[in-house]
Every structure is written in C-alpha cells, then in structure tokens.
Amino acid sequence: MKRFIGFIKKEFYHIFRDKRSLFILFGMPVAQILLFGFAITNEINNVDIAVLDYARDTESQKIIQKIKASPYFHVENEIFNEKAIENEFKKGKVKAVVLFEKDFAKKLQTEKKATVQVITDATEPNVANTIANYTQSIIQNYQNQKNTTPKSNGVVIQSRMLYNPELKSVFNFVPGVMTVILMLVSAMMTSISITREKELGTMEILLVSPLKPFQVILGKVFPYIFLSVINAIVIVAMGYFIFGMPINGSIVLLAFESILFIITALSLGILISTISNTQQTAMMISLMGLMLPVIILSGFIFPIASMPLPMQVISNIIPAKWFIIIVKSIMLKGVGLEYILKETLILVGMTLLFIGLSIKNYKIRLE
Amino acid sequence: MENAQEKIIIVENLTKQFDHFTAVKGISFHVNKGEIFGFLGANGAGKTTAMKMLIGISNSTGGTANVAGFDVHTQSEEVKQNIGYMSQKFSMYDDLTVQENITFFGGIYGLSRKQIKTKTEELIAELQLGNIAKTKVGDLPLGWKQKLAFSVALLHEPKIVFLDEPTGGVDPITRRQFWELIYAEAHKGTTIFVTTHYMDEAEYCNRVSIMVDGVIEALDTPKKLKEQFQVNSMNEVFLKLARNIE
C-alpha cells in the first residue's frame, strides 16, 4: 500500500509539472462550458432588426411595441422604403426587416386579412430561421389576444416543451461537454501517460521492480479517476449555478453513473496504451478514434435520430451516446435507476470488454 | 556441489523462440558471485533478449534460468526483489528532482522512509551530488544521469545488478569514471552483469561471453580469450569470431 501511495504521488508530480496537461485538465472544462454556454447557442437574443411601416396605424404600432418589448429583438431603426432594405442588410447590423403593408388596420377590420412581411438576412440560415419563427409567434400571440372569441371550428395546436420549456441549448451542452471532457481526460490523458513510460523506458524499470503490472496500471490510472471526478463536479456546478441547469434526479445516482463512465473511459485509455508504443500514436488514436466520434456520433451536437441508418447503428458502440442519455435523464427528467438500467448495463458491459481486451493484449506483449 | 553456492546465475539451455525465428538458441552459462560478467554480442545477436529473460520481463520458451537462487519462471517475485536493473536509456523521471526520483524508486522497492533518507545522504555524498538534490533530473548532464541511474538501481542493495549498455552515448572520460563506480560496487560483493558494445570495456570484466546469432561462441576471461585467438585485444577476438561465423 505504501508503494502504491508513493506511485500516486509521483503521478501527481507529473501532472502538476506539465503545463500542457494542467491546461487540458482544468482549463478545458471551464473554457468549453463557457464557450458552449455563452457563445455557441441556438437561441437568439437582442437581434437588431428594422421596421418598415407603410401603415402607421394603431394595429401596426401595437405589434411593433410587442416586438420591441420582447427580449429577442432590438429595433435598431425605422426605414421608409423598400429600397432601403437591402442597404440595411449590406451594412450588416440589421438581421431582419418587418414590413407592414398599407392600410394594415383597415384591411384587418374589413377583409379580416392583412399581411406582415418578415424579410431576413439568410446568409446565416439558422439565425434567419429562428428570427422568422420568433416574429411569427409574437404576431400569432398578438392575434390570439385580439380574437377574444375563439373560432368555433379549426384545429388549434398547443405544444408544450417538457423538461426544457424555454428550449435552452445549455441543457443539451452541459451533458455533452461533460461527456467530451471526461472522455478526453480519462482516455486520452491515461493512454498518453502510460505510453510515456514506455517511451522513456521507465516502464521496463517498473516491470523489473517488485511492483506487479496491475499495480503499475492502477497507479497510473488512479490520479485520473480523482481528477475526472473533480472535473465532473466543476462542470455540473457551473451548469447549475451559471446556466440554471436543473438537477431533478438524485445526485448520488448522477455521481455513480459519472464514475462508471469515467471507468469506461479509463479502460478505453488503457486499451489504447496497450496497442500504441509512443505518446504520439496514443494521442492520434485518442483524438481520431475517440474525440471525433464522441462529438459527431454521440448525439451531443447532431441528433442521432436524423442520421442515416448505418450511422445510427454505429452510434450504438459509442459509450458517450449512452452516457449523454443517462445524464439528461437524471438531470432533466429526474428519473431513477430503473429507467436508465439498460444504458447503465451497456456501459458496464463495454467497460468489462475493454478491460478484458487490455489484459489479453498486455499478456501478448509480455511473451 | 560445493561450488554451487558461488554461482549466482545458472542458465541452462535457455531458449527464446519468436514466431519466425529463434533469438536465443539454448544458451548455457553461469555467473559467479561477485564477478563482473561481460555479456557481449553484435546488435541482434540476442543478448538483450537473453537478458530480458533473466530479469523477468520476457518469458523463455525453453530451458531454465536461476537468478540469485530463484527460478525466473516460478519465483519471479523473489528474483525481482534481489536484482537491480539499469537500462540503456538511464531511465528516470526527467520532471522529478533527484531527491524525488530516489524517494520514488526506493519506495517501490519497499524501503522505509528512514532507509530512504540515509540512502539518499550516502548517495549524495558518494557521488558528490551536493547541491543538486533539488534539481530536476532532466536538467542534469548525461554523465550525471547515468551515475544516478546506477545508484538508483542499487538502492535496495540487490545481489546482482544488470546493466544494459550502460555507457551508450557518453564520452570516454565519463565512461572511465563509470567503470570505477562499477568496480567499487563489485568490490562490495555485488555481482555485475553488463552488456556492452565497447570492446575496450570488455577488458575490464572478469569474464566475458560473446554471443553470435543466438549462441554463445566464446566464454572466458579476456586474457584467456586473447590467448585462445592469438590476438592482442578483445576487439580482434570479436572480429575473428564474427568472421569465423560468416
């Protein structure tokens, strides 16, 4: 046991004296959460728009007031003819123009039909789309308030967004970033640190010493379990305190599942280190073989349901996919273990498989 | 059998078969307690493979080896506790200080804190490392690293120390100094098992074996080998042997 503690102490020296690994360990999680939380978002806030009001009557003014009052838009200026629209877009500040036709209120009264045109700058398609949707819903809302007598017939769709009523993208990013970081720290850092010993030749010295091979591996891995747990706590805390991500389920369960995933990733890291002899190989395998699939195929950024079938099948072998489902279920839906038993068992199975393969590979190398 | 006690390494018919070739072809030899045994051979002659089997990081596919009184196959744990090993890379941790390296390697051999402390003091005095205890190993010159690695391999007072090309890449003066360290250690009764490329170093050994193509072609004191081959230096012995094989 004393030998083991000495070993772990040495591992911490390595980590804390290497600025690069320190940055990956502690800088990355914070930077990524802040980046995804604040910068990379599907929501729009305070988008500058312009208004072209040919009507200038009470109805059009009321709608403009409503748009102004919403947090999504800021009416930058008013323009007076259609030629000015393109000019506004070319200047680049204004992202959309809301246009009211002549006699807006009168048409609404007599013909029961008047037109509002929303012209958007679609050089950024996602933003344009969102702006169009948001303006539509503001006007729809206004209309609903006005028509106090509901139409006797006609289907009214009422949609409710459960678990994330405001459709905050951070609710998606916190579990995603957590998964990416834990994978990065656990798998990549351990595989690099083990191959480093091989490269330096110290692995030979360790194997000649009375330490048993499994003690060497355990000693290399243990500090990363500890650091990964700290990272998981930091990420969840940032999500909770800064972005208001709820934790509806049991924290104990979340901690248990996180540790399970950390162990899965670590065993993957050990497996990588058994098949690579240099730090560079280990890093390439980790980056190409792990990080890319985690980001692309786990459902973190691109929804799995809309992938082509072969991709959906492949996504099943990515541990990250299952962990993201688990984290979202616990944090947002507040479910207990019985609802995520399948995902948990899949992670356990994968872990056992990786450890089994590592032991097999390791033995071959010793022969 | 009265001689058996003096033989600290006994190798019989040791073989290592890889998939397509045999690296070590049934070698047999012994090493006496307290001697400096030179294990020579060209690159690829199989000397590193043979040595790896003796220190327990590679399994033999045939024959037996007994190191420090224990069978390398069945009692590898006991063997490990009794041997020291220094590889050709002088492997220590560059980002740890001299002191930390000593503490770490002492620790994995199960030395107590007190033992480590006295050992460190001894070592620093012996190597005149004085004020570099807190220097990172990576900042030391190669010659110092090499001496330090040797001392670290001896921390747990092993009966035998295996040195794998310990003087690769250092200048002749440092090599000479290093051999003085080896002599001093052998004088204390430690058995030294050393592989080397440098034939002048072979002259420093008590006995020398020369491996060619997985077989030990010659084994004796340098003096007798030179007489046997009727040459003046070990270098010529080596060349003659290699030519005969061709």
Side-chain angles (χ1 to χ4, degrees):
Chain A
M1 196 59 207
K2 225 178 61 200
R3 295 176 186 192
F4 194 63
I5 291 171
F7 200 104
I8 288 170
K9 209 165 129 194
K10 179 213 87 168
E11 249 358 89
F12 276 111
Y13 283 140
H14 288 323
I15 296 167
F16 288 115
R17 284 182 190 170
D18 182 16
K19 290 205 178 69
R20 261 189 321 175
S21 53
L22 262 190
F23 175 75
I24 293 180
L25 281 173
F26 297 108
M28 285 272 281
V30 176
Q32 283 214 12
I33 278 284
L34 292 177
L35 253 170
F36 278 112
F38 285 120
I40 307 169
T41 158
N42 300 330
E43 302 158 44
I44 57 167
N45 264 318
N46 259 326
V47 170
D48 289 313
I49 61 167
V51 173
L52 172 50
D53 187 1
Y54 285 128
R56 303 202 153 269
D57 50 35
T58 49
E59 291 295 332
S60 72
Q61 285 303 317
K62 269 185 195 164
I63 293 178
I64 292 171
Q65 280 314 315
K66 261 199 117 62
I67 292 175
K68 275 184 178 167
S70 86
Y72 311 118
F73 300 114
H74 168 249
V75 178
E76 170 73 12
N77 64 357
E78 200 167 331
I79 50 180
F80 301 99
N81 59 60
E82 277 167 68
K83 278 181 195 142
I85 295 176
E86 231 192 306
N87 200 24
E88 285 297 321
F89 284 152
K90 279 181 180 160
K91 277 194 263 173
K93 190 150 193 241
V94 163
K95 297 291 176 208
V97 174
V98 181
L99 190 155
F100 295 87
E101 64 176 336
K102 234 175 173 169
D103 302 325
F104 184 77
K106 209 167 124 195
K107 276 190 181 170
L108 205 59
Q109 282 274 308
T110 55
E111 295 169 34
K112 297 277 178 213
K113 197 179 160 202
T115 316
V116 182
Q117 210 178 0
V118 180
I119 306 159
T120 54
D121 173 1
T123 46
E124 290 169 75
N126 288 335
V127 176
N129 216 344
T130 319
I131 292 174
N133 286 336
Y134 280 27
T135 33
Q136 224 163 35
S137 70
I138 290 174
I139 295 166
Q140 189 78 48
N141 204 296
Y142 171 76
Q143 213 176 357
N144 289 347
Q145 281 175 353
K146 224 169 111 58
N147 296 342
T148 37
T149 49
K151 285 175 194 155
S152 51
N153 54 4
V155 181
V156 180
I157 298 176
Q158 266 193 348
S159 49
R160 275 183 64 207
M161 302 296 179
L162 277 188
Y163 309 123
N164 186 2
E166 293 166 74
L167 293 180
K168 284 195 174 167
S169 48
V170 74
F171 287 14
N172 183 32
F173 287 136
V174 168
V177 170
M178 184 154 139
T179 310
V180 171
I181 294 287
L182 292 185
M183 204 56 166
L184 188 76
V185 169
S186 311
M188 189 167 107
M189 299 294 275
T190 42
S191 64
I192 289 177
S193 98
I194 293 176
T195 44
R196 198 174 85 137
E197 301 252 5
K198 282 196 201 173
E199 224 178 302
L200 290 176
T202 42
M203 191 52 106
E204 251 181 29
I205 307 274
L206 295 178
L207 290 178
V208 175
S209 84
L211 281 178
K212 294 189 177 64
F214 83 87
Q215 287 176 314
V216 174
I217 299 297
L218 220 62
K220 301 278 319 166
V221 159
F222 186 82
Y224 291 100
I225 297 184
F226 178 74
L227 294 171
S228 301
V229 169
I230 291 183
N231 265 325
I233 294 173
V234 167
I235 293 169
V236 171
M238 281 178 78
Y240 184 79
F241 289 111
I242 302 180
F243 299 106
M245 170 113 186
I247 306 173
N248 292 324
S250 141
I251 289 194
V252 177
L253 182 60
L254 184 62
F256 162 77
E257 295 284 354
S258 304
I259 291 173
L260 172 64
F261 182 67
I262 289 169
I263 294 174
T264 311
L266 287 173
S267 53
L268 205 53
I270 296 171
L271 182 60
I272 291 173
S273 72
T274 62
I275 54 175
S276 41
N277 278 321
T278 64
Q279 294 180 66
Q280 236 175 355
T281 325
M283 191 148 115
M284 287 314 285
I285 295 179
S286 307
L287 280 178
M288 305 308 272
L290 291 182
M291 297 314 293
L292 277 182
V294 166
I295 292 173
I296 294 170
L297 287 177
S298 67
F300 166 26
I301 293 180
F302 307 109
I304 292 173
S306 42
M307 288 174 192
L309 191 64
M311 290 295 209
Q312 290 190 32
V313 174
I314 293 173
S315 76
N316 286 328
I317 60 166
I318 312 262
K321 172 192 165 174
W322 304 105
F323 184 61
I324 289 183
I325 295 176
I326 291 173
V327 175
K328 280 188 182 168
S329 302
I330 297 176
M331 291 184 82
L332 298 177
K333 297 186 189 166
V335 300
L337 182 61
E338 64 273 21
Y339 288 93
I340 46 173
L341 200 58
K342 185 185 96 182
E343 287 81 3
T344 308
L345 288 178
I346 289 174
L347 284 186
V348 171
M350 284 178 168
T351 311
L352 293 178
L353 178 73
F354 295 147
I355 292 177
L357 284 176
S358 310
I359 292 174
K360 199 173 151 240
N361 268 341
Y362 196 81
K363 278 202 175 135
I364 289 170
R365 292 192 53 79
L366 258 186
E367 287 301 311
Chain B
M1 279 311 277
E2 61 266 36
N3 262 349
Q5 225 179 353
E6 290 190 336
K7 291 178 184 167
I8 197 153
I9 300 177
I10 304 162
V11 175
E12 260 154 36
N13 219 4
L14 195 67
T15 305
K16 178 76 182 189
Q17 170 96 47
F18 287 109
D19 283 346
H20 297 294
F21 78 109
T22 313
V24 178
K25 298 170 183 163
I27 56 172
S28 302
F29 65 94
H30 71 267
V31 176
N32 296 322
K33 191 169 184 295
E35 79 175 335
I36 300 176
F37 187 84
F39 201 59
L40 315 188
N43 286 328
K47 60 183 189 318
T48 303
T49 312
M51 183 157 157
K52 280 189 172 167
M53 287 191 278
L54 295 183
I55 59 175
I57 52 176
S58 176
N59 290 329
S60 62
T61 51
T64 58
N66 188 297
V67 173
F70 302 102
D71 186 272
V72 289
H73 230 47
T74 55
Q75 296 167 298
S76 60
E77 291 314 307
E78 286 86 351
V79 170
K80 284 176 173 181
Q81 196 60 254
N82 284 294
I83 60 170
Y85 172 58
M86 172 181 164
S87 83
Q88 43 194 322
K89 293 179 179 168
F90 321 131
S91 316
M92 281 186 298
Y93 297 101
D94 279 352
D95 54 344
L96 264 57
T97 66
V98 172
Q99 175 77 72
E100 285 160 354
N101 265 294
I102 295 172
T103 311
F104 171 70
F105 284 107
I108 62 173
Y109 278 96
L111 265 58
S112 72
R113 200 165 296 173
K114 212 176 136 197
Q115 280 173 305
I116 290 174
K117 200 168 165 253
T118 48
K119 271 280 167 194
T120 310
E121 280 162 10
E122 265 177 47
L123 216 152
I124 283 173
E126 212 171 295
L127 297 178
Q128 291 152 13
L129 294 175
N131 43 13
I132 61 152
K134 289 198 168 62
T135 310
K136 285 190 187 145
V137 167
D139 298 332
L140 295 179
L142 200 55
W144 292 41
K145 274 194 208 177
Q146 173 204 43
K147 285 180 207 163
L148 197 62
F150 182 62
S151 312
V152 164
L154 293 168
L155 270 183
H156 57 293
E157 297 174 359
K159 293 191 182 129
I160 312 164
V161 59
F162 289 84
L163 309 173
D164 189 11
E165 289 171 23
T167 51
V170 293
D171 62 79
I173 297 169
T174 318
R175 262 169 60 196
R176 180 75 230 184
Q177 286 172 348
F178 187 72
W179 273 91
E180 277 161 20
L181 280 181
I182 293 180
Y183 269 120
E185 196 54 41
H187 199 69
K188 288 183 203 163
T190 312
T191 309
I192 315 275
F193 186 101
V194 56
T195 73
T196 180
H197 279 316
Y198 299 110
M199 287 306 139
D200 59 326
E201 288 185 352
E203 315 259 2
Y204 305 149
C205 299
N206 298 124
R207 284 194 312 146
V208 165
S209 77
I210 299 177
M211 237 180 133
V212 182
D213 283 340
V215 181
I216 291 183
E217 285 292 337
L219 197 168
D220 217 323
T221 61
K223 195 173 164 233
K224 281 192 182 153
L225 281 177
K226 281 184 277 188
E227 280 168 11
Q228 185 189 333
F229 287 88
Q230 297 167 338
V231 291
N232 293 322
S233 71
M234 279 306 292
N235 203 12
E236 287 167 84
V237 173
F238 190 76
L239 286 175
K240 241 182 169 172
L241 255 178
R243 271 192 209 120
N244 281 349
I245 299 302
E246 280 162 15

